[in-house]
């Protein structure tokens, strides 16, 4: 149990922390510490651990519990930490919520259940059970139709927000600003984080609290700068920074996403580590492609200098 | 040939004009005049005729040519008018471009070809031929993956903008702010109009020139108010208006789109007319549903009062 | 008007005739004659003209009418000829049905309308109007969800078969034997042709009347042999031939379909001709790939010898 | 460890055993025994446990291990039993293979990994690791693109069959007879079971070893009759029985699949039990709908009489 009081998730740039792994797929704790420290130093507003970029679904319950404890201890209350507890089935996900709560987490999030065709009632029930497993925590839905195969849908989201007090909001991954806008059009008091690196500014303008960003692992400064420029009302500057982030995102086209993010960390001298099987690593050819793409764009290269 | 000089399409709220039709599916000219006059009076910044909402693909080349001539005469140079010339095949589409040019149009747009699997070269060639049919006009691409079955793709879009001087930009329908942002991240000098009623503000913030909007037929004031608020830097107000537009859009969920838009016009005392077979009309039950939805939301009802 | 009595479409292997075109995209009549003659000589049981493989949707109404007249004259009543009259909209498709009827056709088929979201009533109405345009002809539905973007659906199909006497059946393209089986499970008296080269034997076993086959342009003997073996109860032989056809089909993976079929014709010394823009031709690299694929498989090479 | 020698999976109708659960979602062992006994008595050729219909992905590793032990003991070597060991990630799936091996299983199968975008190498590696966990067992791939979100693809399937000796074949769920045919066209020595109730006869004709069938829980006699008729060369009878099976399948349209299968068992006086949350149960309205559908079709009612 962590003694530090973990602050609540409120707003800003939340790094979707990648999990540095060794060749055997085990968590590389010194590398993890270095990455966490880097994020804290660079001033991101929170961490989101064990999500898609964190390879949470490929790690065991035990591994996930230990990592949560470790990260919370390292962060030591300096930042909010949201723990992704999603799993294919409700029982495993609910048990991960309990594990996160025992480890001292204050904030959890979860994808909907995988594989089967569920009804709206079933999806509602999934989140109800996750909430019941630790109603003292702040809970977030996590919509990711590209990976999950279906979207939570507005009706389920609206009902959960209205009826389950500990459900605070949603992480919406995808570039549909329409869906995000419709949350605000139809739902009261929902807190929305976009999980997409390219539409952050648009989401902020429509009322989003912030972004959960994988690329913030690599260039936290760029993403906090978008957020800061928007906060100061400097729309033009925010737009230019968002376009830079979009160009960075474009360098990943056709490459395995998690491995590419980890390789960009390595290029900056940060410990990205390996991916866990069956997720692919970058081939050496893909590594060259990625290096060429980021280095031929001076506006990107500026953000990607090696960390001393 | 229209003697008025049609102004170029620059920016703002462009109404995706519905085509008022009689029971037999023929253009109802007095109704069309009334609708055009209403749009001009209410200060929209342009008209986009014979697109999806205009049922262009269900009308014959002759009907389309006549409508263009008629609208251009009625508008009499007061507004830019873009003419959708898309068709399933290149030959028909190119011939529609020539017809539009002969009718006095200055601006044309077209969906990519339908039905077959095309390569990027084939799609490029399609637009090249449309441009060649009237290179003196301003040409716009029209990406609508939901209806067409595929997206133009960034590479084709970028090449066409760079290599064909008369291609000015793109109408991008869909709620992917990611795609719109990426145009600006990767392409120079592209003019982008979103075709989605819900993401207008987000698109403007990212650099869009404006929106081609179906709902602007019904509530032109609401949409021009979004644009004006953004222009004055009143982001909060623009956001509130955009959320109202999103709630209006939500009233159409589950209803046939063109028919619903036409019925909303009728509710305001404007001449929406019928749809052309095989597009459905609203059933009387659907009409009631739509009426109830718009009337139970006071924020909407305010914008939907009958036009005197 | 053709004086020969065109026989009705009953069963067997119906070649989905490609349309030999010259470089300008115009019908190459001598080549067309040669291809028609080849099909008749090789004993296929019918022709299906101006469908997907026939590039019907890329040709004008005038071109389509002339081609129908020409093919009917050349076939001279020796085979049934089905004319695809599908178009994006109902009016054009109904007019193509009238044109086909005037040209002497006895059998027509059509895809459902394109581009818009239609209701079941709209789709029903589309086919009702096509039937009304020439109720003395035999009409066939044509389901092709991959190209059209939606499937006709069982309910619409069942209602049309039950309620519109001149609608005889359906050409079902795609490899869903489930859908074909369900027609027979739920519908009386429907005549089904699979449009897929790989599931012909399975479809025949479940009750299909035959197949509309693009590859039959190239190797009519192979496809009529599948049909004949099935007819004689030689299931093992039919299966071996079907597997050969599946291997032939596999040589087209990743290549533009119509162009590849035409190139295979060329390899046999038959006049495939060009494709019509914006459909791609094979690049010379793709031509080599295709040649290598067919030549390295002796079981295929045997069927693909040059026609003397 | 089970002392009976479990026979290898060879061919025929393999029941995709549903898992009878109590209200709390725990395995109802007496009900499970009754269902297993019913299947053995009625002469199915094997059992496939803990697959999609068996709700395997919603049960814990412990529950899955116990169920395997229990079923193997109850079957006592009278039938082959295949154990689905699929999970979202490789580690869990490999551990389930070990558990199944320890429990005495001879045959295992697994879906590919879930949620992430994997490369072909990653998917290959997934199955490689599952094979390494118990190379003395017979392993089967399980392709289910509708539920998994992607297909294994022909290349991976072909390589795994060729290179990993203990991988015998594939369970292919979906109604694509094209994919099944292509396995036989391109791959040597693959054993294929269709997982689709509607295309069994077509799959058999093309070379499939049999079917893994959910509906065989309810009407094992109907499905073994299809297989027997095909075996005797009675194609007409096999087709009629397959059409009956297709009509039975059609009664489930729009209903939650596993719950509907369990309810049909209940209608026959067999212990279907509950589904595990978040999978839905049938509402009482859905129960009536299903009853009406099966009872209004005399050809179905005959197969669905209560088991004495």
């Amino acid at each position: 149990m962590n003694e530090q009081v973990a602050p609540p998730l409120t707003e800003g740039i939340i790094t979707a922390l990648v999990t540095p792994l060794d060749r055997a797929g085990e968590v590389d704790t010194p590398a993890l510490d270095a990455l966490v420290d880097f994020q804290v130093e660079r001033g991101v507003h929170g961490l989101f651990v064990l999500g898609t970029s964190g390879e949470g679904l490929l790690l065991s319950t035990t591994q996930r519990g230990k990592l949560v404890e470790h990260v919370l201890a390292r962060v030591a209350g300096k930042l909010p930490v949201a723990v992704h507890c999603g799993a294919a089935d409700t029982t495993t996900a609910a048990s991960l919520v309990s594990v996160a709560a025992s480890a001292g987490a204050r904030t959890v999030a979860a994808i909907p259940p995988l594989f089967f065709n569920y009804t709206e009632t079933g999806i509602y029930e999934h989140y109800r059970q996750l909430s019941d497993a630790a109603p003292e925590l702040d809970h977030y839905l996590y919509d990711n139709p590209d990976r999950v195969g279906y979207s939570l849908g507005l009706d389920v989201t609206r009902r959960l927000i209205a009826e389950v007090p500990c459900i605070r909001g949603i992480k919406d991954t995808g570039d549909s600003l329409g869906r995000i806008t419709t949350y605000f059009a139809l739902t009261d008091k929902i807190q929305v984080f976009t999980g997409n690196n390219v539409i952050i500014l648009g989401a902020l303008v429509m009322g989003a609290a912030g972004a959960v960003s994988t690329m913030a692992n690599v260039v936290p400064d760029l993403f906090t700068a978008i957020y800061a420029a928007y906060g100061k009302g400097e729309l033009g500057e925010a737009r230019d920074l968002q376009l830079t982030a979009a160009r960075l995102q474009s360098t990943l086209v056709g490459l395995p996403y998690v491995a590419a993010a980890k390789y960009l960390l390595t290029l900056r001298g940060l410990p990205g580590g390996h991916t866990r099987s069956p997720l692919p690593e970058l081939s050496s050819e893909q590594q060259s492609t990625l290096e060429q793409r980021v280095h031929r764009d001076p506006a990107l290269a500026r953000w990607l200098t090696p960390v001393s």
Side-chain angles (χ1 to χ4, degrees), chain A:
Chain A
M1 173 57 118
N2 195 279
E3 309 241 345
Q4 305 294 334
V5 179
L9 184 64
T10 54
E11 59 174 21
I13 300 303
I14 314 302
T15 299
L17 202 74
V18 301
T19 304
L21 301 167
D22 63 21
R23 284 194 180 281
E26 297 303 314
V27 177
D28 179 342
T29 311
L32 177 62
D33 286 346
L35 185 59
V36 166
D37 293 352
F38 177 67
Q39 299 300 319
V40 173
E41 280 159 27
R42 296 303 169 113
V44 300
H45 310 101
L47 301 179
F48 184 95
V49 301
L50 295 169
T52 306
S53 304
E55 298 173 69
L57 265 84
L58 299 178
L59 297 167
S60 70
T61 299
T62 310
Q63 286 172 311
R64 288 164 83 163
K66 275 187 193 165
L67 184 139
V68 172
E69 253 179 90
H70 190 88
V71 169
L72 287 171
R74 189 81 186 179
V75 168
K78 290 174 206 144
L79 292 179
V81 176
V83 179
H84 180 246
C85 297
D89 67 296
T90 306
T91 308
T92 304
S95 123
L96 286 163
V97 168
S98 301
V99 166
S102 303
R106 173 169 186 160
T107 310
V108 291
I111 52 162
L114 301 180
F115 191 70
F116 291 95
N117 262 330
Y118 302 98
T119 55
E120 296 198 343
T121 308
I123 299 166
Y124 181 92
E125 196 49 39
H126 176 81
Y127 283 107
R128 179 102 232 173
Q129 290 183 37
L130 267 54
S131 301
D132 287 350
E136 71 281 11
L137 303 188
D138 292 335
H139 289 252
Y140 287 81
L141 314 177
Y142 180 176
D143 201 30
N144 192 345
D146 281 352
R147 301 270 50 77
V148 168
Y150 65 92
S151 177
L152 286 170
L154 270 170
D155 285 344
V156 170
T157 301
R158 195 159 33 166
R159 272 187 63 209
L160 285 165
I161 292 289
E163 297 173 11
V164 185
C166 64
I167 300 183
R168 307 291 181 201
I170 191 163
K171 176 191 170 191
D172 184 301
T173 295
D175 70 350
S176 161
L177 186 63
R179 196 166 56 219
I180 288 178
T181 300
T182 309
Y183 295 139
F184 295 116
L186 302 179
T187 320
D188 277 348
K189 297 206 282 184
I190 189 172
Q191 207 183 351
V192 177
F193 289 86
T194 175
N196 185 289
N197 295 299
V198 178
I199 70 163
I200 296 174
L201 178 57
L204 289 172
V205 166
M206 290 317 302
V212 176
S213 162
T214 301
M215 282 303 110
N217 282 280
V218 181
V219 283
D221 315 70
L222 173 58
F223 285 88
T224 55
I226 295 173
Y227 187 71
Y230 171 72
K232 290 181 295 186
E234 305 282 7
L235 269 197
E237 190 192 340
R239 176 180 180 267
D240 288 346
L241 293 161
Q242 177 66 83
L243 293 182
T244 301
R247 273 198 298 278
L248 175 58
Q249 190 71 22
S250 295
T251 65
L252 307 186
V253 167
L255 300 175
Y257 192 67
V258 179
K262 288 185 163 185
Y263 189 69
L264 286 176
L265 278 170
T266 308
L267 284 182
R268 297 202 70 190
L270 291 161
H274 296 271
T275 51
R276 190 169 166 91
S277 174
L279 269 190
E281 307 269 4
L282 290 200
S283 67
S284 58
E285 196 185 350
Q286 290 174 320
Q287 292 180 348
S288 308
T289 299
L290 182 51
E291 282 187 62
Q292 284 164 26
R293 288 179 183 174
V294 299
H295 289 143
R296 79 174 163 222
D297 182 342
L300 284 187
R302 180 197 146 203
W303 291 98
L304 288 161
T305 49
V307 172
S308 57

